Amino acid sequence: MLERGGTIGILGGGQLGRMMAMSAAELGYRCIAYAPEGDNVVSCVCDDVFTNKWDDTAALAAFAAQCDVVTWEFENVPVATAQAIPADRIFPHPRALETAQDRLAEKRFVEGLGGRPAAYARVDSRSDLEAAVDRLGAPGILKTRRDGYDGKGQWRIGSARDADALRLPDVPLIYEGYVEFEAEFSVILVRGQDGEMRVWDSTRNAHEGGILATSSLPAGLAIEAQVDEARSLAEQVADALRYVGVLTLEFFATKEGPIFNEMAPRVHNSGHWTIEGAVTSQFENHIRAVAGLPLGDTATVARGVTMTNIIGDAITTAQDFLGQPDTHLHDYGKAEVRQGRKMGHVTRLER
């Protein structure tokens, strides 16, 4: 167990790290970050920030020497960077990054545990894409196997003609067949160092332009009927990875049951509602887990919850939300406003 006043290192400098650091401070810990990219909005709540490159071994060693434990706030931290931290001081283990950073490896891993992803095919060439569209049909989605988020690194293929016209990027790709679904939802759980697991209620997630727009509770009958099966898979994933911290699996609710979409080995946008809407937020429970503390209650505290992302220049009028009852604004403090960028979120509770 990490004693009061201990130091938690965070790999990454975005809003997820910022909210983790805020929870860490409330539990009596100090945080430092290693964040070579972006606005580094974590800096205002950390004691120090290393802005060195991910492969700067000397800087990583100096960073690790100041930390009692280390975690990460986004899944594109290079695996080699995470592996540079002593294995007994980094949570989750870097094997979770290795699994989640390659969409092909991720789907095969989940299939090995009995999960059902959308039909998929590996694409390394134009002939591979043609064969994938021929076998799986269209529409479908072509994705980069690595990187990409919020709709980036993805191309919708409506027909074989679309596939022929597309200029393929020179990176490994994966083609996913179309999934007819009733709703999208996520399972967010936390697993402690002793293997104890707790799970939050699953929200109905709505996306616009590939970016999460809202997460809401109650989630509806279509999701509620499939949550238990999805939770069981998520728990198997966490145990197989010997995971420590918050883990998220995204699903489609379909007539055939839950279809696995993707995994995020971190706190997740669809769990931001837990700050005000649950007894213990995802951020606090992540810190509790990596610090070796007892996990907190994940029960929902309101009859209804809606979390809305604030995208791009909508942040300039975000304070207008505060005129609504039981509404909570989170401005991430990002200096650069641009289209499609998550600038904050607002959560409204119905008691």
mmCIF file of all heavy atoms in Angstrom, residues 72 74-84 90 92-110 145-147 237 240-243 247 263-266:
data_model
loop_
_atom_site.group_PDB
_atom_site.id
_atom_site.type_symbol
_atom_site.label_atom_id
_atom_site.label_comp_id
_atom_site.label_asym_id
_atom_site.label_seq_id
_atom_site.Cartn_x
_atom_site.Cartn_y
_atom_site.Cartn_z
ATOM 1 N N TRP A 72 -0.584 5.122 -16.551
ATOM 2 C CA TRP A 72 -0.672 5.919 -17.785
ATOM 3 C C TRP A 72 -2.100 6.403 -17.970
ATOM 4 O O TRP A 72 -3.037 5.857 -17.383
ATOM 5 C CB TRP A 72 -0.195 5.132 -19.001
ATOM 6 C CG TRP A 72 -0.959 3.872 -19.287
ATOM 7 C CD1 TRP A 72 -2.206 3.752 -19.835
ATOM 8 C CD2 TRP A 72 -0.508 2.526 -19.050
ATOM 9 N NE1 TRP A 72 -2.564 2.434 -19.956
ATOM 10 C CE2 TRP A 72 -1.542 1.665 -19.483
ATOM 11 C CE3 TRP A 72 0.664 1.980 -18.525
ATOM 12 C CZ2 TRP A 72 -1.435 0.271 -19.397
ATOM 13 C CZ3 TRP A 72 0.771 0.599 -18.449
ATOM 14 C CH2 TRP A 72 -0.266 -0.230 -18.878
ATOM 15 N N PHE A 74 -3.311 7.334 -21.330
ATOM 16 C CA PHE A 74 -3.829 7.040 -22.659
ATOM 17 C C PHE A 74 -3.084 5.844 -23.241
ATOM 18 O O PHE A 74 -1.953 5.549 -22.843
ATOM 19 C CB PHE A 74 -3.768 8.266 -23.579
ATOM 20 C CG PHE A 74 -2.425 8.584 -24.175
ATOM 21 C CD1 PHE A 74 -2.278 8.658 -25.548
ATOM 22 C CD2 PHE A 74 -1.315 8.846 -23.383
ATOM 23 C CE1 PHE A 74 -1.042 8.974 -26.117
ATOM 24 C CE2 PHE A 74 -0.092 9.166 -23.933
ATOM 25 C CZ PHE A 74 0.048 9.223 -25.310
ATOM 26 N N GLU A 75 -3.770 5.136 -24.158
ATOM 27 C CA GLU A 75 -3.273 3.822 -24.563
ATOM 28 C C GLU A 75 -2.220 3.854 -25.645
ATOM 29 O O GLU A 75 -1.731 2.797 -26.056
ATOM 30 C CB GLU A 75 -4.428 2.913 -25.000
ATOM 31 C CG GLU A 75 -5.129 3.339 -26.260
ATOM 32 C CD GLU A 75 -6.338 4.197 -25.984
ATOM 33 O OE1 GLU A 75 -6.229 5.135 -25.170
ATOM 34 O OE2 GLU A 75 -7.399 3.952 -26.592
ATOM 35 N N ASN A 76 -1.828 5.033 -26.114
ATOM 36 C CA ASN A 76 -0.790 5.109 -27.132
ATOM 37 C C ASN A 76 0.591 5.442 -26.574
ATOM 38 O O ASN A 76 1.499 5.798 -27.331
ATOM 39 C CB ASN A 76 -1.191 6.110 -28.223
ATOM 40 C CG ASN A 76 -2.337 5.591 -29.082
ATOM 41 O OD1 ASN A 76 -2.478 4.380 -29.276
ATOM 42 N ND2 ASN A 76 -3.175 6.493 -29.566
ATOM 43 N N VAL A 77 0.752 5.337 -25.275
ATOM 44 C CA VAL A 77 2.092 5.404 -24.701
ATOM 45 C C VAL A 77 2.905 4.254 -25.291
ATOM 46 O O VAL A 77 2.449 3.106 -25.300
ATOM 47 C CB VAL A 77 2.045 5.256 -23.169
ATOM 48 C CG1 VAL A 77 3.452 5.125 -22.586
ATOM 49 C CG2 VAL A 77 1.325 6.444 -22.537
ATOM 50 N N PRO A 78 4.087 4.516 -25.839
ATOM 51 C CA PRO A 78 4.879 3.423 -26.409
ATOM 52 C C PRO A 78 5.136 2.314 -25.388
ATOM 53 O O PRO A 78 5.446 2.595 -24.220
ATOM 54 C CB PRO A 78 6.188 4.114 -26.817
ATOM 55 C CG PRO A 78 5.808 5.543 -27.044
ATOM 56 C CD PRO A 78 4.746 5.835 -26.022
ATOM 57 N N VAL A 79 4.993 1.089 -25.827
ATOM 58 C CA VAL A 79 5.212 -0.040 -24.915
ATOM 59 C C VAL A 79 6.621 0.006 -24.332
ATOM 60 O O VAL A 79 6.824 -0.268 -23.135
ATOM 61 C CB VAL A 79 4.964 -1.374 -25.651
ATOM 62 C CG1 VAL A 79 5.378 -2.555 -24.776
ATOM 63 C CG2 VAL A 79 3.493 -1.494 -26.046
ATOM 64 N N ALA A 80 7.613 0.370 -25.154
ATOM 65 C CA ALA A 80 8.996 0.426 -24.674
ATOM 66 C C ALA A 80 9.146 1.445 -23.541
ATOM 67 O O ALA A 80 9.948 1.252 -22.619
ATOM 68 C CB ALA A 80 9.936 0.778 -25.818
ATOM 69 N N THR A 81 8.388 2.533 -23.601
ATOM 70 C CA THR A 81 8.427 3.529 -22.531
ATOM 71 C C THR A 81 7.903 2.928 -21.233
ATOM 72 O O THR A 81 8.506 3.075 -20.171
ATOM 73 C CB THR A 81 7.586 4.762 -22.916
ATOM 74 O OG1 THR A 81 8.141 5.364 -24.086
ATOM 75 C CG2 THR A 81 7.550 5.778 -21.788
ATOM 76 N N ALA A 82 6.753 2.259 -21.311
ATOM 77 C CA ALA A 82 6.184 1.635 -20.118
ATOM 78 C C ALA A 82 7.108 0.551 -19.569
ATOM 79 O O ALA A 82 7.257 0.392 -18.345
ATOM 80 C CB ALA A 82 4.812 1.057 -20.439
ATOM 81 N N GLN A 83 7.756 -0.184 -20.467
ATOM 82 C CA GLN A 83 8.653 -1.256 -20.027
ATOM 83 C C GLN A 83 9.930 -0.717 -19.387
ATOM 84 O O GLN A 83 10.632 -1.460 -18.698
ATOM 85 C CB GLN A 83 8.992 -2.159 -21.209
ATOM 86 C CG GLN A 83 7.817 -2.996 -21.683
ATOM 87 C CD GLN A 83 8.119 -3.795 -22.934
ATOM 88 O OE1 GLN A 83 8.984 -3.412 -23.730
ATOM 89 N NE2 GLN A 83 7.416 -4.904 -23.139
ATOM 90 N N ALA A 84 10.234 0.558 -19.614
ATOM 91 C CA ALA A 84 11.413 1.161 -18.992
ATOM 92 C C ALA A 84 11.207 1.423 -17.505
ATOM 93 O O ALA A 84 12.174 1.642 -16.769
ATOM 94 C CB ALA A 84 11.766 2.476 -19.701
ATOM 95 N N ILE A 90 4.823 -0.306 -12.008
ATOM 96 C CA ILE A 90 3.929 0.228 -13.033
ATOM 97 C C ILE A 90 2.644 -0.586 -13.081
ATOM 98 O O ILE A 90 2.657 -1.811 -13.112
ATOM 99 C CB ILE A 90 4.598 0.284 -14.423
ATOM 100 C CG1 ILE A 90 3.678 0.981 -15.426
ATOM 101 C CG2 ILE A 90 5.029 -1.096 -14.906
ATOM 102 C CD1 ILE A 90 4.363 1.447 -16.679
ATOM 103 N N PRO A 92 -1.389 -0.391 -14.904
ATOM 104 C CA PRO A 92 -1.383 -1.825 -15.174
ATOM 105 C C PRO A 92 -0.025 -2.266 -15.742
ATOM 106 O O PRO A 92 0.811 -1.431 -16.054
ATOM 107 C CB PRO A 92 -2.488 -2.008 -16.210
ATOM 108 C CG PRO A 92 -3.254 -0.728 -16.237
ATOM 109 C CD PRO A 92 -2.323 0.315 -15.798
ATOM 110 N N HIS A 93 0.152 -3.569 -15.910
ATOM 111 C CA HIS A 93 1.366 -4.090 -16.524
ATOM 112 C C HIS A 93 1.371 -3.709 -18.004
ATOM 113 O O HIS A 93 0.316 -3.680 -18.650
ATOM 114 C CB HIS A 93 1.413 -5.609 -16.378
ATOM 115 C CG HIS A 93 2.719 -6.219 -16.754
ATOM 116 N ND1 HIS A 93 3.066 -6.458 -18.072
ATOM 117 C CD2 HIS A 93 3.784 -6.621 -16.001
ATOM 118 C CE1 HIS A 93 4.272 -6.985 -18.118
ATOM 119 N NE2 HIS A 93 4.738 -7.098 -16.878
ATOM 120 N N PRO A 94 2.538 -3.417 -18.580
ATOM 121 C CA PRO A 94 2.608 -3.047 -20.014
ATOM 122 C C PRO A 94 2.014 -4.066 -20.968
ATOM 123 O O PRO A 94 1.721 -3.741 -22.121
ATOM 124 C CB PRO A 94 4.111 -2.858 -20.249
ATOM 125 C CG PRO A 94 4.648 -2.447 -18.914
ATOM 126 C CD PRO A 94 3.848 -3.229 -17.910
ATOM 127 N N ARG A 95 1.788 -5.315 -20.526
ATOM 128 C CA ARG A 95 1.162 -6.299 -21.419
ATOM 129 C C ARG A 95 -0.222 -5.817 -21.871
ATOM 130 O O ARG A 95 -0.679 -6.185 -22.962
ATOM 131 C CB ARG A 95 1.054 -7.669 -20.734
ATOM 132 C CG ARG A 95 0.036 -7.758 -19.623
ATOM 133 C CD ARG A 95 -0.112 -9.179 -19.089
ATOM 134 N NE ARG A 95 1.056 -9.575 -18.347
ATOM 135 C CZ ARG A 95 1.221 -9.353 -17.026
ATOM 136 N NH1 ARG A 95 0.288 -8.709 -16.339
ATOM 137 N NH2 ARG A 95 2.302 -9.755 -16.408
ATOM 138 N N ALA A 96 -0.879 -5.003 -21.052
ATOM 139 C CA ALA A 96 -2.188 -4.478 -21.450
ATOM 140 C C ALA A 96 -2.053 -3.522 -22.627
ATOM 141 O O ALA A 96 -2.899 -3.509 -23.529
ATOM 142 C CB ALA A 96 -2.846 -3.774 -20.262
ATOM 143 N N LEU A 97 -0.990 -2.711 -22.632
ATOM 144 C CA LEU A 97 -0.737 -1.832 -23.775
ATOM 145 C C LEU A 97 -0.441 -2.649 -25.025
ATOM 146 O O LEU A 97 -0.946 -2.352 -26.114
ATOM 147 C CB LEU A 97 0.449 -0.906 -23.485
ATOM 148 C CG LEU A 97 0.252 0.273 -22.541
ATOM 149 C CD1 LEU A 97 1.562 1.030 -22.380
ATOM 150 C CD2 LEU A 97 -0.833 1.209 -23.047
ATOM 151 N N GLU A 98 0.389 -3.663 -24.888
ATOM 152 C CA GLU A 98 0.745 -4.501 -26.042
ATOM 153 C C GLU A 98 -0.499 -5.103 -26.687
ATOM 154 O O GLU A 98 -0.623 -5.162 -27.913
ATOM 155 C CB GLU A 98 1.680 -5.626 -25.602
ATOM 156 C CG GLU A 98 3.104 -5.193 -25.310
ATOM 157 C CD GLU A 98 3.993 -6.372 -25.017
ATOM 158 O OE1 GLU A 98 3.839 -6.993 -23.953
ATOM 159 O OE2 GLU A 98 4.855 -6.681 -25.863
ATOM 160 N N THR A 99 -1.427 -5.532 -25.861
ATOM 161 C CA THR A 99 -2.641 -6.159 -26.364
ATOM 162 C C THR A 99 -3.562 -5.156 -27.042
ATOM 163 O O THR A 99 -4.092 -5.407 -28.125
ATOM 164 C CB THR A 99 -3.399 -6.851 -25.213
ATOM 165 O OG1 THR A 99 -2.531 -7.799 -24.589
ATOM 166 C CG2 THR A 99 -4.645 -7.551 -25.707
ATOM 167 N N ALA A 100 -3.743 -3.996 -26.424
ATOM 168 C CA ALA A 100 -4.728 -3.033 -26.902
ATOM 169 C C ALA A 100 -4.235 -2.172 -28.053
ATOM 170 O O ALA A 100 -5.052 -1.618 -28.793
ATOM 171 C CB ALA A 100 -5.174 -2.127 -25.746
ATOM 172 N N GLN A 101 -2.931 -2.045 -28.229
ATOM 173 C CA GLN A 101 -2.420 -1.131 -29.253
ATOM 174 C C GLN A 101 -2.512 -1.681 -30.673
ATOM 175 O O GLN A 101 -2.399 -0.924 -31.632
ATOM 176 C CB GLN A 101 -0.968 -0.746 -28.937
ATOM 177 C CG GLN A 101 -0.868 0.269 -27.815
ATOM 178 C CD GLN A 101 0.561 0.693 -27.545
ATOM 179 O OE1 GLN A 101 1.509 0.185 -28.151
ATOM 180 N NE2 GLN A 101 0.737 1.620 -26.622
ATOM 181 N N ASP A 102 -2.736 -2.961 -30.818
ATOM 182 C CA ASP A 102 -2.881 -3.572 -32.139
ATOM 183 C C ASP A 102 -4.283 -4.158 -32.222
ATOM 184 O O ASP A 102 -4.605 -5.120 -31.528
ATOM 185 C CB ASP A 102 -1.823 -4.660 -32.340
ATOM 186 C CG ASP A 102 -1.836 -5.266 -33.741
ATOM 187 O OD1 ASP A 102 -2.924 -5.363 -34.330
ATOM 188 O OD2 ASP A 102 -0.759 -5.645 -34.226
ATOM 189 N N ARG A 103 -5.130 -3.598 -33.068
ATOM 190 C CA ARG A 103 -6.527 -4.031 -33.138
ATOM 191 C C ARG A 103 -6.661 -5.496 -33.530
ATOM 192 O O ARG A 103 -7.596 -6.179 -33.107
ATOM 193 C CB ARG A 103 -7.309 -3.148 -34.111
ATOM 194 C CG ARG A 103 -7.562 -1.742 -33.576
ATOM 195 C CD ARG A 103 -8.467 -0.948 -34.518
ATOM 196 N NE ARG A 103 -8.880 0.306 -33.904
ATOM 197 C CZ ARG A 103 -8.237 1.451 -34.002
ATOM 198 N NH1 ARG A 103 -7.105 1.499 -34.724
ATOM 199 N NH2 ARG A 103 -8.669 2.545 -33.406
ATOM 200 N N LEU A 104 -5.743 -5.988 -34.345
ATOM 201 C CA LEU A 104 -5.797 -7.395 -34.734
ATOM 202 C C LEU A 104 -5.478 -8.289 -33.542
ATOM 203 O O LEU A 104 -6.201 -9.255 -33.256
ATOM 204 C CB LEU A 104 -4.824 -7.662 -35.883
ATOM 205 C CG LEU A 104 -4.775 -9.102 -36.408
ATOM 206 C CD1 LEU A 104 -6.124 -9.521 -36.976
ATOM 207 C CD2 LEU A 104 -3.670 -9.252 -37.462
ATOM 208 N N ALA A 105 -4.409 -7.967 -32.820
ATOM 209 C CA ALA A 105 -4.031 -8.751 -31.642
ATOM 210 C C ALA A 105 -5.122 -8.685 -30.581
ATOM 211 O O ALA A 105 -5.420 -9.688 -29.913
ATOM 212 C CB ALA A 105 -2.705 -8.242 -31.090
ATOM 213 N N GLU A 106 -5.720 -7.522 -30.434
ATOM 214 C CA GLU A 106 -6.776 -7.322 -29.442
ATOM 215 C C GLU A 106 -7.970 -8.229 -29.726
ATOM 216 O O GLU A 106 -8.497 -8.904 -28.830
ATOM 217 C CB GLU A 106 -7.193 -5.859 -29.459
ATOM 218 C CG GLU A 106 -8.336 -5.495 -28.543
ATOM 219 C CD GLU A 106 -8.742 -4.047 -28.726
ATOM 220 O OE1 GLU A 106 -9.429 -3.743 -29.736
ATOM 221 O OE2 GLU A 106 -8.386 -3.225 -27.879
ATOM 222 N N LYS A 107 -8.417 -8.267 -30.995
ATOM 223 C CA LYS A 107 -9.573 -9.087 -31.348
ATOM 224 C C LYS A 107 -9.267 -10.568 -31.168
ATOM 225 O O LYS A 107 -10.121 -11.333 -30.685
ATOM 226 C CB LYS A 107 -9.998 -8.780 -32.786
ATOM 227 C CG LYS A 107 -10.587 -7.390 -32.964
ATOM 228 C CD LYS A 107 -10.956 -7.135 -34.415
ATOM 229 C CE LYS A 107 -11.383 -5.686 -34.621
ATOM 230 N NZ LYS A 107 -12.558 -5.310 -33.828
ATOM 231 N N ARG A 108 -8.083 -10.989 -31.549
ATOM 232 C CA ARG A 108 -7.717 -12.392 -31.375
ATOM 233 C C ARG A 108 -7.652 -12.771 -29.902
ATOM 234 O O ARG A 108 -8.061 -13.872 -29.511
ATOM 235 C CB ARG A 108 -6.382 -12.662 -32.072
ATOM 236 C CG ARG A 108 -6.488 -12.642 -33.601
ATOM 237 C CD ARG A 108 -5.130 -12.773 -34.264
ATOM 238 N NE ARG A 108 -5.254 -12.927 -35.718
ATOM 239 C CZ ARG A 108 -4.227 -12.891 -36.558
ATOM 240 N NH1 ARG A 108 -2.982 -12.720 -36.095
ATOM 241 N NH2 ARG A 108 -4.428 -13.039 -37.856
ATOM 242 N N PHE A 109 -7.149 -11.851 -29.091
ATOM 243 C CA PHE A 109 -7.070 -12.089 -27.647
ATOM 244 C C PHE A 109 -8.466 -12.275 -27.066
ATOM 245 O O PHE A 109 -8.723 -13.213 -26.298
ATOM 246 C CB PHE A 109 -6.354 -10.907 -26.985
ATOM 247 C CG PHE A 109 -6.383 -10.913 -25.487
ATOM 248 C CD1 PHE A 109 -5.606 -11.804 -24.764
ATOM 249 C CD2 PHE A 109 -7.187 -10.017 -24.793
ATOM 250 C CE1 PHE A 109 -5.632 -11.807 -23.379
ATOM 251 C CE2 PHE A 109 -7.210 -10.002 -23.412
ATOM 252 C CZ PHE A 109 -6.436 -10.908 -22.700
ATOM 253 N N VAL A 110 -9.374 -11.379 -27.427
ATOM 254 C CA VAL A 110 -10.745 -11.451 -26.899
ATOM 255 C C VAL A 110 -11.457 -12.705 -27.418
ATOM 256 O O VAL A 110 -12.192 -13.365 -26.670
ATOM 257 C CB VAL A 110 -11.515 -10.167 -27.259
ATOM 258 C CG1 VAL A 110 -13.007 -10.328 -26.992
ATOM 259 C CG2 VAL A 110 -10.969 -8.984 -26.459
ATOM 260 N N ARG A 145 -4.423 -0.497 -37.761
ATOM 261 C CA ARG A 145 -4.319 -1.433 -36.637
ATOM 262 C C ARG A 145 -3.781 -0.751 -35.392
ATOM 263 O O ARG A 145 -4.080 -1.172 -34.265
ATOM 264 C CB ARG A 145 -3.428 -2.619 -37.022
ATOM 265 C CG ARG A 145 -4.164 -3.656 -37.850
ATOM 266 C CD ARG A 145 -3.267 -4.741 -38.371
ATOM 267 N NE ARG A 145 -2.438 -5.360 -37.328
ATOM 268 C CZ ARG A 145 -1.507 -6.296 -37.588
ATOM 269 N NH1 ARG A 145 -1.313 -6.698 -38.841
ATOM 270 N NH2 ARG A 145 -0.801 -6.802 -36.601
ATOM 271 N N ARG A 146 -2.989 0.291 -35.587
ATOM 272 C CA ARG A 146 -2.415 1.020 -34.459
ATOM 273 C C ARG A 146 -2.820 2.487 -34.515
ATOM 274 O O ARG A 146 -3.097 3.034 -35.564
ATOM 275 C CB ARG A 146 -0.883 0.907 -34.447
ATOM 276 C CG ARG A 146 -0.385 -0.489 -34.176
ATOM 277 C CD ARG A 146 1.128 -0.542 -34.106
ATOM 278 N NE ARG A 146 1.584 -1.863 -33.728
ATOM 279 C CZ ARG A 146 1.717 -2.290 -32.471
ATOM 280 N NH1 ARG A 146 1.432 -1.480 -31.473
ATOM 281 N NH2 ARG A 146 2.134 -3.511 -32.213
ATOM 282 N N ASP A 147 -2.815 3.112 -33.328
ATOM 283 C CA ASP A 147 -3.157 4.526 -33.195
ATOM 284 C C ASP A 147 -4.591 4.763 -33.679
ATOM 285 O O ASP A 147 -5.346 3.833 -33.926
ATOM 286 C CB ASP A 147 -2.168 5.410 -33.946
ATOM 287 C CG ASP A 147 -0.746 5.231 -33.450
ATOM 288 O OD1 ASP A 147 -0.568 5.086 -32.221
ATOM 289 O OD2 ASP A 147 0.184 5.213 -34.283
ATOM 290 N N VAL A 237 -11.122 -10.705 -19.306
ATOM 291 C CA VAL A 237 -10.009 -9.945 -19.879
ATOM 292 C C VAL A 237 -9.116 -9.409 -18.766
ATOM 293 O O VAL A 237 -7.882 -9.520 -18.830
ATOM 294 C CB VAL A 237 -10.540 -8.793 -20.760
ATOM 295 C CG1 VAL A 237 -9.414 -7.835 -21.132
ATOM 296 C CG2 VAL A 237 -11.189 -9.351 -22.022
ATOM 297 N N ALA A 240 -7.151 -12.262 -17.182
ATOM 298 C CA ALA A 240 -6.138 -12.815 -18.091
ATOM 299 C C ALA A 240 -4.924 -11.901 -18.188
ATOM 300 O O ALA A 240 -3.786 -12.374 -18.316
ATOM 301 C CB ALA A 240 -6.741 -13.040 -19.473
ATOM 302 N N LEU A 241 -5.144 -10.599 -18.113
ATOM 303 C CA LEU A 241 -4.048 -9.624 -18.179
ATOM 304 C C LEU A 241 -3.437 -9.357 -16.811
ATOM 305 O O LEU A 241 -2.459 -8.622 -16.714
ATOM 306 C CB LEU A 241 -4.559 -8.304 -18.769
ATOM 307 C CG LEU A 241 -4.989 -8.325 -20.235
ATOM 308 C CD1 LEU A 241 -5.665 -7.009 -20.610
ATOM 309 C CD2 LEU A 241 -3.783 -8.569 -21.145
ATOM 310 N N ARG A 242 -4.012 -9.950 -15.760
ATOM 311 C CA ARG A 242 -3.624 -9.648 -14.371
ATOM 312 C C ARG A 242 -3.600 -8.121 -14.192
ATOM 313 O O ARG A 242 -2.650 -7.546 -13.683
ATOM 314 C CB ARG A 242 -2.282 -10.300 -14.028
ATOM 315 C CG ARG A 242 -2.324 -11.808 -14.143
ATOM 316 C CD ARG A 242 -1.098 -12.496 -13.584
ATOM 317 N NE ARG A 242 0.123 -12.164 -14.306
ATOM 318 C CZ ARG A 242 0.481 -12.694 -15.477
ATOM 319 N NH1 ARG A 242 -0.305 -13.569 -16.068
ATOM 320 N NH2 ARG A 242 1.620 -12.355 -16.049
ATOM 321 N N TYR A 243 -4.677 -7.526 -14.617
ATOM 322 C CA TYR A 243 -4.809 -6.080 -14.727
ATOM 323 C C TYR A 243 -4.947 -5.436 -13.357
ATOM 324 O O TYR A 243 -5.556 -5.996 -12.438
ATOM 325 C CB TYR A 243 -6.052 -5.779 -15.566
ATOM 326 C CG TYR A 243 -6.107 -4.382 -16.124
ATOM 327 C CD1 TYR A 243 -5.544 -4.081 -17.356
ATOM 328 C CD2 TYR A 243 -6.726 -3.358 -15.416
ATOM 329 C CE1 TYR A 243 -5.600 -2.799 -17.875
ATOM 330 C CE2 TYR A 243 -6.795 -2.082 -15.922
ATOM 331 C CZ TYR A 243 -6.222 -1.804 -17.150
ATOM 332 O OH TYR A 243 -6.272 -0.529 -17.644
ATOM 333 N N LEU A 247 -10.311 -0.529 -16.363
ATOM 334 C CA LEU A 247 -10.278 -1.116 -17.702
ATOM 335 C C LEU A 247 -11.648 -0.936 -18.348
ATOM 336 O O LEU A 247 -12.679 -1.105 -17.694
ATOM 337 C CB LEU A 247 -9.955 -2.609 -17.615
ATOM 338 C CG LEU A 247 -10.047 -3.437 -18.906
ATOM 339 C CD1 LEU A 247 -8.958 -3.039 -19.886
ATOM 340 C CD2 LEU A 247 -9.969 -4.927 -18.580
ATOM 341 N N MET A 263 -11.082 -2.289 -26.761
ATOM 342 C CA MET A 263 -10.681 -2.218 -25.366
ATOM 343 C C MET A 263 -9.842 -0.974 -25.139
ATOM 344 O O MET A 263 -9.037 -0.596 -25.990
ATOM 345 C CB MET A 263 -9.880 -3.480 -25.020
ATOM 346 C CG MET A 263 -9.304 -3.509 -23.623
ATOM 347 S SD MET A 263 -8.514 -5.108 -23.295
ATOM 348 C CE MET A 263 -6.967 -4.917 -24.181
ATOM 349 N N ALA A 264 -10.024 -0.351 -23.995
ATOM 350 C CA ALA A 264 -9.191 0.790 -23.601
ATOM 351 C C ALA A 264 -8.610 0.492 -22.226
ATOM 352 O O ALA A 264 -9.347 0.443 -21.239
ATOM 353 C CB ALA A 264 -10.010 2.078 -23.561
ATOM 354 N N PRO A 265 -7.287 0.274 -22.131
ATOM 355 C CA PRO A 265 -6.671 -0.049 -20.842
ATOM 356 C C PRO A 265 -6.399 1.216 -20.026
ATOM 357 O O PRO A 265 -5.259 1.578 -19.756
ATOM 358 C CB PRO A 265 -5.375 -0.753 -21.258
ATOM 359 C CG PRO A 265 -5.006 -0.095 -22.548
ATOM 360 C CD PRO A 265 -6.305 0.237 -23.234
ATOM 361 N N ARG A 266 -7.479 1.864 -19.614
ATOM 362 C CA ARG A 266 -7.370 3.152 -18.912
ATOM 363 C C ARG A 266 -8.762 3.605 -18.489
ATOM 364 O O ARG A 266 -9.772 2.996 -18.852
ATOM 365 C CB ARG A 266 -6.785 4.204 -19.856
ATOM 366 C CG ARG A 266 -7.546 4.343 -21.179
ATOM 367 C CD ARG A 266 -7.129 5.551 -21.966
ATOM 368 N NE ARG A 266 -7.703 5.593 -23.298
ATOM 369 C CZ ARG A 266 -8.930 6.004 -23.592
ATOM 370 N NH1 ARG A 266 -9.739 6.407 -22.615
ATOM 371 N NH2 ARG A 266 -9.375 6.015 -24.841
#
